[in-house]
Amino acid sequence: MTEPPDQRPPDPDSGGPDPRPRDPAPPSPAAPDGGGTAPGGGAGGAATGRRIARNTASAVLIVLTCILVPVALLATWVHDIVLDTDRYVATVAPLSGDPAVQDAAVHRITEAVGARVDGPKAADEIASWLQSQGLPPLAADAVRRLGPQIDSAVDQAVTKVATRVVTSDAFATVWRDANRAAHNAVVHALTGQGRGAVQVTDGTVTLDIGTAVERVKKELVDAGLKPAAGIPQVNKQFVLFHSDQLAKYRKAAHLLDIVGNWLPVLVAVLGTAGVLLAHRRRRALARTALGGAFACLVVAVALIVARRYYLDHLPAQVQSKSAAAAVFDALVRFLRVSLRTAIVLGVVIALGVYLIGPGRLPVALRGASDRTADSAARWAAGHHISAGRAGAWALAYRRAVTIAVLLVIALVFALWNHPTVLTVLLLVLVLLVLLAVLALLAAGGRAQLNAARPPPDAPPGRR
């Protein structure tokens, strides 16, 4: 019969544990000067103090990380979009095809041209000329009464030509060039550096569309509307953005521009330190991920509220609420995408940490996946398909390879230029595929190991 464990007396010469109970060591007497070891003090008290200090530092770093995640995204947005000319122009360039912006531009151009074509005056000049050529006064008066009709006809002609100009590729070019020139003015408004062709007055950023007006004027003249040739050079402004607090944002924008490249790295370092200092690191990682996602969700909701407030308090010079909404949405599009990406990434990380934990559901899922992999390996072995050395290697180094794959995926995400939610889902899919392949190879290695193991020679009773 097999001897039950832990029943044999230990060999006194082997240095094994002594099973006999020992009396507790008497407490050391207190020194005369009070330097003795108090109950609960000494090494145990110091260890407890260090543990409390580590947990406190970890909690502070994790909370700070969660708060700074949306701030880092905001700094990146300011640095990469608001204060970068090429990316700014690439962001607002599609607005030239937005129907609301096109309608607003047509209205402003028509207003600029129509204000300088006086129908009654033109009718009076025509009637006077005709009367000088012998037209009866009664007929001349009839021509003078055509002034309102001339105004209406001119407005229709101008609107038609302006619409054709605004919806053409030429306007897209004008829009991009004007915005590129305008960007220096925006940078000057936020940082005090550089100047551009666009004015920034009382927090209102205006875009000069005089070039488009000149093009409409030329087409009107070419179409036979000769009075349009008398239209002087127009400096018509299209309100691009308005904020009463624009001047107050200068210091914040300058600071965010400086830290735009380094703040995300600092946040990552703080988060990593907070997790490493935690007593339960897996739980700390999940809380950090969910906390950062929640902070980004709060900022995303605040951005929706800010959009509504901005559109409800537009100044009088902004004539199109739809165009203002389109411009606002274009400018904050990258920030919205970044916030959504951070939210999804935080949820994915927390879910992944949960699935590798000791919970009943994660254990059941991992067990089911391993059984599925073993079944596939047995089927492959039955069909003379072997994983070879790769299977044995995967079985021996599965944990290390899994960590390496996670680090590579994290590095790819960190180096990805402006990742999106689709980027996160794509990397998660790649990670799942790689882990599934690794599990299949490890299952193949186990199948080979079991096949090579000799059957037990001992009878069942002596196992």
Side-chain angles (χ1 to χ4, degrees):
M1 296 293 291
T2 304
E3 187 175 359
D6 299 331
Q7 296 297 321
R8 293 175 296 173
D11 184 2
D13 298 329
S14 64
D18 189 353
R20 292 173 297 175
R22 297 187 179 187
D23 295 331
S28 59
D33 57 354
T37 303
T48 302
R50 286 194 299 269
R51 180 175 178 180
I52 294 176
R54 287 186 58 180
N55 289 339
T56 302
S58 172
V60 171
L61 291 175
I62 289 176
V63 171
L64 188 61
T65 300
C66 296
I67 295 175
L68 288 180
V69 166
V71 177
L73 296 179
L74 180 62
T76 304
W77 172 69
V78 171
H79 183 271
D80 289 354
I81 299 297
V82 178
L83 301 180
D84 186 277
T85 300
D86 292 335
R87 286 175 177 165
Y88 170 82
V89 173
T91 300
V92 300
L95 287 174
S96 62
D98 187 273
V101 174
Q102 288 182 344
D103 291 342
V106 168
H107 176 76
R108 300 297 281 176
I109 293 173
T110 303
E111 183 183 61
V113 176
R116 290 166 175 79
V117 179
D118 191 340
K121 182 179 178 180
D124 183 69
E125 291 177 354
I126 295 173
S128 299
W129 180 79
L130 291 176
Q131 192 172 3
S132 67
Q133 299 298 317
L135 186 70
L138 187 61
D141 290 339
V143 173
R144 288 187 178 92
R145 287 194 294 268
L146 293 177
Q149 286 78 6
I150 293 177
D151 269 341
S152 177
V154 169
D155 288 342
Q156 292 179 6
V158 171
T159 301
K160 183 177 180 180
V161 174
T163 302
R164 185 167 65 246
V165 170
V166 169
T167 56
S168 67
D169 294 337
F171 180 74
T173 303
V174 170
W175 178 266
R176 284 194 300 269
D177 294 342
N179 274 281
R180 184 173 294 277
H183 188 263
N184 284 334
V186 177
V187 173
H188 173 70
L190 292 174
T191 65
Q193 301 175 356
R195 292 187 179 275
V198 175
Q199 299 177 359
V200 181
T201 306
D202 296 330
T204 301
V205 181
T206 54
L207 188 68
D208 185 9
I209 58 173
T211 303
V213 174
E214 288 298 318
R215 188 175 185 88
V216 171
K217 169 184 170 181
K218 181 179 182 301
E219 291 205 14
L220 289 173
V221 173
D222 293 342
L225 188 62
K226 300 303 181 183
I231 298 175
Q233 185 176 359
V234 178
N235 183 27
K236 198 64 178 178
Q237 303 297 329
F238 182 88
V239 177
L240 188 66
F241 181 79
H242 173 82
S243 175
D244 294 330
Q245 308 297 323
L246 188 61
K248 298 181 181 180
Y249 295 155
R250 288 187 176 184
K251 292 183 179 180
H254 182 64
L255 178 62
L256 291 176
D257 182 37
I258 294 176
V259 303
N261 286 330
W262 298 106
L263 188 56
V265 178
L266 177 62
V267 172
V269 171
L270 292 177
T272 302
V275 171
L276 293 179
L277 287 175
H279 178 62
R280 297 178 178 178
R281 295 174 180 173
R282 185 180 59 82
R283 183 175 297 180
L285 178 58
R287 289 176 176 176
T288 303
L290 290 179
F294 178 75
C296 291
L297 179 61
V298 171
V299 175
V301 174
L303 197 60
I304 296 174
V305 176
R307 179 182 185 273
R308 178 62 60 86
Y309 179 85
Y310 167 72
L311 295 179
D312 290 342
H313 294 80
L314 290 173
Q317 58 265 39
V318 180
Q319 299 180 353
S320 175
K321 185 175 181 178
S322 299
V327 173
F328 183 93
D329 292 339
L331 290 176
V332 301
R333 180 179 61 86
F334 171 72
L335 181 59
R336 285 175 172 170
V337 170
S338 299
L339 291 172
R340 287 196 294 264
T341 303
I343 293 172
V344 173
L345 179 63
V347 173
V348 167
I349 292 177
L351 182 60
V353 170
Y354 169 73
L355 291 178
I356 64 174
R360 181 178 300 178
L361 178 61
V363 171
L365 290 176
R366 294 198 300 269
S369 63
D370 286 340
R371 288 192 296 271
T372 302
D374 289 336
S375 299
R378 288 192 297 269
W379 178 88
H383 290 76
H384 306 288
I385 301 175
S386 174
R389 295 182 178 180
W393 180 84
L395 182 62
Y397 301 101
R398 182 177 180 180
R399 182 179 179 84
V401 173
T402 300
I403 295 176
V405 169
L406 289 173
L407 291 178
V408 170
I409 294 294
L411 181 62
V412 170
F413 178 81
L415 297 179
W416 198 288
N417 188 23
H418 299 304
T420 63
V421 174
L422 183 61
T423 305
V424 175
L425 298 179
L426 177 63
L427 292 179
V428 169
L429 179 61
V430 172
L431 175 62
L432 293 177
V433 171
L434 292 177
L435 293 180
V437 172
L438 184 61
L440 289 174
L441 290 176
R446 281 195 300 271
Q448 294 175 11
L449 186 63
N450 293 333
R453 183 177 301 167
D457 296 329
R462 297 293 299 171
R463 292 182 184 174

